[in-house]
Amino acid sequence: MISFSVMALVFGVVFLAELPDKTALAGLVLGTRYRASYVFAGVAAAFTVHVVLAVAAGSVLTLLPQQLVHALTGVLFLGGAAMLLLKGAGEEEDVKQPEDQSFWKVSGAGFMLILVAEFGDLTQIMTANMAARYDDPLSVGLGAVLALWAVAGIGIVGGKALMKRVPLVLITRIAALLMLGLGVWSLYEAIA
């Protein structure tokens, strides 16, 4: 059974954390050069692979004692918040252009770019943390993958307009505050 509250929480946290990420900018660059649906197909497939791996890793963590899991996820969330606050907001990713515009070349380029760039990324680690925290792999997985797909869609189709209206620094700070709150809450539960 799907928990919509867990799914919504995961969606919000992952969405805000991924918006200022370099892969959203890479999706924007690919989307301005190639057919958006081709780019999205590759990017969405890569994000799905990442979420499955993250949820599997997080599910393994649920085998540990609850207090240890809360302490571990609390520390990782705090580390993630620190990473968001300390990293540069203007990072750009080099994007190699496919030689032609066929579906397989364009979607393959998007898939490989995201697969490599996102491996071990903050949102993948956060997804694993939330899978361990909530012990609800389906809800966490759906929330994370929908958030990543939403960011990819925004980046590919309308990233320039969003960045003109909402400063990247503000998005980064909101995501960091949410992660800070989750980290403090997890540590409190580990101690209580």
Side-chain angles (χ1 to χ4, degrees):
M1 186 163 232
I2 296 173
S3 167
F4 288 103
S5 59
V6 169
M7 194 170 79
L9 174 70
V10 172
F11 180 93
V13 170
V14 171
F15 182 85
L16 287 172
E18 189 65 23
L19 263 182
D21 196 56
K22 64 189 175 294
T23 52
L25 297 174
L28 170 67
V29 171
L30 283 173
T32 59
R33 295 184 183 149
Y34 303 105
R35 189 176 203 168
S37 60
Y38 292 4
V39 174
F40 183 78
V43 168
F47 277 135
T48 302
V49 169
H50 278 285
V51 168
V52 167
L53 292 173
V55 168
S59 295
V60 168
L61 289 176
T62 61
L63 301 174
L64 298 173
Q66 274 305 97
Q67 282 187 308
L68 181 60
V69 171
H70 288 310
L72 180 62
T73 57
V75 168
L76 290 173
F77 274 128
L78 292 176
M83 284 175 57
L84 275 178
L85 291 172
L86 295 175
K87 81 174 191 173
E91 294 178 352
E92 289 189 31
E93 182 73 17
D94 290 334
V95 177
K96 294 184 179 178
Q97 296 183 30
E99 296 188 12
D100 64 42
Q101 298 256 345
S102 75
F103 172 80
W104 294 110
K105 292 274 186 175
V106 174
S107 63
F111 179 83
M112 290 308 296
L113 173 70
I114 298 303
L115 192 68
V116 172
E118 287 290 305
F119 197 79
D121 191 59
L122 179 62
T123 52
Q124 191 178 31
I125 294 167
M126 286 172 34
T127 302
N129 287 344
M130 288 186 276
R133 169 111 172 75
Y134 295 108
D135 195 19
D136 187 353
L138 185 59
S139 300
V140 170
L142 282 173
V145 82
L146 290 174
L148 293 168
W149 289 356
V151 170
I154 289 169
I156 292 166
V157 176
K160 288 182 181 176
L162 177 68
M163 295 306 172
K164 287 180 184 174
R165 292 192 171 97
V166 181
L168 193 57
V169 172
L170 177 63
I171 294 167
T172 302
R173 288 186 180 150
I174 290 170
L177 285 173
L178 280 172
M179 289 181 63
L180 180 66
L182 286 169
V184 169
W185 180 256
S186 293
L187 289 174
Y188 170 76
E189 285 189 333
I191 295 169

